[in-house]
Amino acid sequence: MSKKIMDYILLLAGFLFLIKGADGFVSGASSIAKKFSIPPLIIGLTIVAFGTSAPEAAVSVTAALKGQNDMAIANVVGSNIFNFLVVIGLTSIVKPIKVQKSTIIKEFPFVTLACFVLAVIAHDTRFQEGVTQNMLSRADGYILLALFAIFMYYLIEMALTSKDQAQEDEVQEIPLSKSILYSILGIAGIVIGGQLVVNSASNIALAWGMSENLVGLTIVSVGTSLPELVTSLVAARKGESDIAIGNAVGSNVFNLLFVLGISASIHSIAVHPIVFYDMLVMILTTLLAYLLSATKRTISRGEGVVL
């Protein structure tokens, strides 16, 4: 079997490890959280958001450790574009999405702010005199992580003060020992999958003469966003539109602040000038999704087709 075919097989295997690993982690961690009487809303907004974004985290952190900077940042930007255009678009076509007031006045503005903050701190040549290289430094990573901590504080406070906590979340009951095993195996699957995807995608890019940036924006970002797509589509079919749009918005915040924050904290990320065009597209798609959500607090099937 040729090396090129093997790279494609390993890429598919990597995506399978990522998706199944994220699924196992979410199931196990959610079950553990419920056993310790953690409110259902916190489970949905934190553990599920972490689980569905874990593939992006695994790929970007692995890429940063290997010095493959283009893929680390392009994966996050590409995944965020995919989440708002494809995930929300397809989900609203399946069933129109009703958007809560808090999502419009708090969560969407926060993810929009995160997009602008990333664009500003990454554009060193424009905002700092005498600098010739755009870089997400370790200090920038700490700034992103600090913003993520603020967002998590907001989510937890909102969950604890919510009057809707009486509504039970459908979390499958699993024995504690199995829950712990699922969580550990899930994390292992995510880490292994991240390694496979980065290595094989880099080889494919080299063989086809493609840049790591392009591969990160296309193949890798779509593959790592599959958990968000599946979760939102299932939620839409069950009529749980809050989960559908909350998953996309929460995952984008997680990607921008936690994933890139951790990646930059581990290893400074050089930002290629072309990435700023990708960031501009990400900001525009975020604003478009925000605008469609704010009109009548619903994303209709027609608006889903537009996305």
Side-chain angles (χ1 to χ4, degrees):
M1 187 179 295
S2 70
K3 186 178 183 300
K4 187 180 289 187
I5 295 174
M6 180 58 69
D7 284 330
Y8 283 106
I9 292 172
L10 290 175
L11 181 67
L12 292 174
F15 283 144
L16 182 62
F17 271 107
L18 286 171
I19 294 165
K20 295 303 292 182
D23 182 53
F25 175 78
V26 170
S27 297
S30 298
S31 179
I32 291 169
K34 188 161 187 179
K35 285 182 185 297
F36 288 97
S37 300
I38 298 173
L41 190 55
I42 292 182
I43 296 172
L45 290 172
T46 55
I47 294 171
V48 174
F50 178 87
T52 56
S53 289
E56 284 91 339
V59 168
S60 290
V61 170
T62 302
L65 286 169
K66 290 176 176 288
Q68 295 166 319
N69 299 320
D70 284 356
M71 190 173 295
I73 196 164
N75 172 45
V76 165
V77 173
S79 292
N80 282 19
I81 294 170
F82 184 89
N83 284 345
F84 275 144
L85 296 185
V86 180
V87 174
I88 293 182
L90 282 178
T91 302
S92 58
I93 290 170
V94 171
K95 190 167 187 177
I97 300 174
K98 291 182 180 179
V99 186
Q100 279 199 3
K101 188 177 180 181
S102 65
T103 301
I104 295 169
I105 66 174
K106 292 181 180 178
E107 288 148 33
F108 255 118
F110 197 93
V111 73
T112 305
L113 173 66
C115 290
F116 279 105
V117 168
L118 175 64
V120 170
I121 64 176
H123 215 321
D124 296 330
T125 56
R126 179 174 290 273
F127 297 107
Q128 295 186 45
E129 292 184 9
V131 177
T132 57
Q133 172 69 53
N134 292 313
M135 186 80 67
L136 271 182
S137 65
R138 283 193 169 93
D140 294 331
Y142 299 147
I143 290 171
L144 294 175
L145 289 174
L147 287 173
F148 179 70
I150 293 170
F151 184 69
M152 290 301 296
Y153 175 81
Y154 153 70
L155 288 182
I156 293 170
E157 184 184 42
M158 182 183 68
L160 293 174
T161 58
S162 174
K163 295 180 181 178
D164 299 327
Q165 288 182 24
Q167 185 179 359
E168 276 297 310
D169 191 36
E170 293 183 12
V171 177
Q172 185 182 357
E173 285 288 349
I174 307 171
L176 185 59
S177 57
K178 280 190 177 181
S179 299
I180 295 170
L181 181 62
Y182 283 178
S183 299
I184 293 171
L185 290 177
I187 292 171
I190 289 165
V191 172
I192 293 168
Q195 291 272 4
L196 290 174
V197 168
V198 170
N199 291 337
S200 56
S202 298
N203 291 337
I204 292 168
L206 190 64
W208 284 90
M210 297 166 66
S211 68
E212 287 179 358
N213 183 65
L214 181 60
V215 174
L217 281 167
T218 54
I219 300 170
V220 178
S221 64
V222 171
T224 55
S225 291
L226 289 177
E228 284 94 335
L229 179 60
V230 172
T231 301
S232 291
L233 287 174
V234 170
R237 288 185 63 187
K238 291 182 176 181
E240 300 188 51
S241 56
D242 285 349
I243 293 176
I245 195 162
N247 178 39
V249 174
S251 292
N252 279 16
V253 173
F254 188 92
N255 290 342
L256 287 167
L257 301 182
F258 182 80
V259 174
L260 280 182
I262 287 290
S263 300
S265 299
I266 292 171
H267 192 289
S268 295
I269 301 174
V271 183
H272 195 281
I274 198 171
V275 172
F276 291 104
Y277 291 104
D278 308 327
M279 287 186 187
L280 177 60
V281 174
M282 177 179 68
I283 291 170
L284 292 175
T285 56
T286 303
L287 292 172
L288 176 60
Y290 189 5
L291 179 65
L292 294 180
S293 299
T295 54
K296 301 180 181 178
R297 285 169 52 184
T298 302
I299 300 179
S300 64
R301 285 191 171 92
E303 290 169 334
V305 172
V306 170
L307 290 173

